Amino acid sequence: MAEPSMRKAVDTPVPMDDDDADLAQESGSAGYEPVRRRDPNSESGIVFEPAEVEDVIVEAIDEDEPEKPAGDAPYAKPQFPALTPKQQGVRRQLRRIQVPPHRLTPLKASWIGIIEPLVEHMKLQVRMNTKRRAVEIRNSENTPDIGYLQKASDYIKAFMLGFDQADAVALLRLDDLFVESFEVKDVKKLQGDHLARCIGRIAGKDGKTKYAIENATRTRISLCEQKVHILGSFANIRLARDSICSLILGSAPGKVYTKLRTVSKRLQERI
């Protein structure tokens, strides 16, 4: 059996000084690479020098100026108009809002003012269904946004809950307005004369307490028998609801007025 060839230390070539010069010549002809040269000051005797790079040109771009199309581009960026609801394939949708008997007369009196923003600005179709005693709202081909249909439905519902048309129309203009409803019995179970006195405390003499809560919390309140409806933003509704609950639980109106003064001062400081 043949023995494996063993390489002795004597056969290994010893590096010579001329080898560094040969490496420097080979690296210099390779291109943009660090140059390896002999440095007598260093311990290893080898130093790396940076390769020469072409000058880099830096240009300042003004962000205000419109971007010019590149010379290689065949045409500029196209501008496409927004699709209409008909082109998007939106189907006809209908909203039906029932009219309570006690709101039928106010609806007739202010019918033109109610449907004017819906028809002229939102391009919706509105009609009064006398058989069903309901207001029907439907989107048309010219309606710019399908979300207007739900806004119009909330607007009509707010009017049916007892709010004035001038207050309810704010639901169409602002996105952060809501309507919250609750009953007196949800806070405290009252019957007979106790319930009537509780509603009287909420309203106050000639509506004084109700108006004070509305002006301090920047909300609108509608009292319909045992139900209380509040129109406003989320934070303002919470403040008005706390004041009304305090009156239902038996707090004196004077204490509620004191809290409302503090609340109104805080709201003015935020603004």
Side-chain angles (χ1 to χ4, degrees):
M1 184 173 180
E3 295 180 357
S5 59
M6 300 294 292
R7 193 172 185 180
K8 299 180 180 180
V10 180
D11 300 334
T12 304
V14 179
M16 306 298 290
D17 296 340
D18 297 339
D19 294 343
D20 296 337
D22 296 339
L23 290 173
Q25 291 179 0
E26 293 177 2
S27 61
S29 60
Y32 296 104
E33 296 179 356
V35 180
R36 187 179 182 185
R37 294 179 182 177
R38 183 179 179 81
D39 187 4
N41 299 328
S42 62
E43 296 179 359
S44 61
I46 300 173
V47 64
F48 289 91
E49 296 182 359
E52 296 181 358
V53 184
E54 296 180 358
D55 296 337
V56 179
I57 301 174
V58 180
E59 296 181 358
I61 300 176
D62 191 0
E63 297 181 356
D64 297 337
E65 295 182 359
E67 184 179 357
K68 297 181 181 179
D72 299 338
Y75 52 84
K77 185 178 179 180
Q79 299 291 337
F80 298 103
L83 296 177
T84 61
K86 184 178 180 180
Q87 294 173 342
Q88 294 177 1
V90 178
R91 298 180 179 179
R92 290 286 182 90
Q93 298 184 17
L94 180 68
R95 297 287 191 276
R96 184 178 291 111
I97 300 97
Q98 295 293 331
V99 181
H102 68 280
R103 297 298 291 174
L104 191 59
T105 301
L107 181 64
K108 292 180 181 179
S110 56
W111 174 254
I112 300 300
I114 291 173
I115 67 172
E116 183 178 358
L118 304 180
V119 176
E120 293 186 359
H121 300 286
M122 294 186 170
K123 309 299 181 182
L124 297 171
Q125 298 176 354
V126 187
R127 74 174 182 179
M128 177 63 189
N129 192 334
T130 55
K131 291 184 178 180
R132 295 190 176 185
R133 285 193 175 183
V135 178
E136 297 178 348
I137 308 172
R138 187 177 67 175
N139 62 322
S140 64
E141 298 177 355
N142 300 324
T143 304
D145 188 2
I146 191 61
Y148 288 168
L149 190 61
Q150 184 60 40
K151 278 190 173 184
S153 177
D154 296 340
Y155 163 62
I156 298 296
K157 284 181 181 178
F159 182 82
M160 300 306 171
L161 292 176
F163 296 100
D164 295 336
Q165 188 270 336
D167 298 332
V169 77
L171 291 169
L172 303 178
R173 300 174 180 173
L174 302 176
D175 295 332
D176 59 343
L177 293 184
F178 309 95
V179 177
E180 182 175 340
S181 303
F182 64 93
E183 295 186 12
V184 175
K185 66 180 182 180
D186 296 337
V187 182
K188 187 177 181 180
K189 292 183 179 180
L190 298 173
Q191 296 178 355
D193 295 339
H194 298 286
L195 178 61
R197 283 194 294 268
C198 177
I199 297 174
R201 281 200 305 272
I202 298 174
K205 184 179 180 181
D206 298 331
K208 177 182 176 182
T209 306
K210 183 173 80 75
Y211 294 145
I213 297 175
E214 289 179 347
N215 296 332
T217 59
R218 297 178 184 177
T219 56
R220 291 294 179 266
I221 300 172
S222 176
L223 299 176
C224 298
E225 297 180 355
Q226 300 182 14
K227 294 184 179 180
V228 180
H229 310 287
I230 307 173
L231 169 65
S233 62
F234 180 78
N236 295 344
I237 286 176
R238 182 169 59 89
L239 297 174
R241 184 181 65 242
D242 293 343
S243 300
I244 294 174
C245 291
S246 298
L247 292 172
I248 294 174
L249 293 174
S251 297
K255 293 183 178 180
V256 177
Y257 291 155
T258 304
K259 292 182 180 180
L260 290 177
R261 292 192 193 97
T262 306
V263 168
S264 61
K265 288 181 180 179
R266 289 179 181 176
L267 292 177
Q268 291 176 359
E269 290 176 358
R270 292 179 183 177
I271 294 176

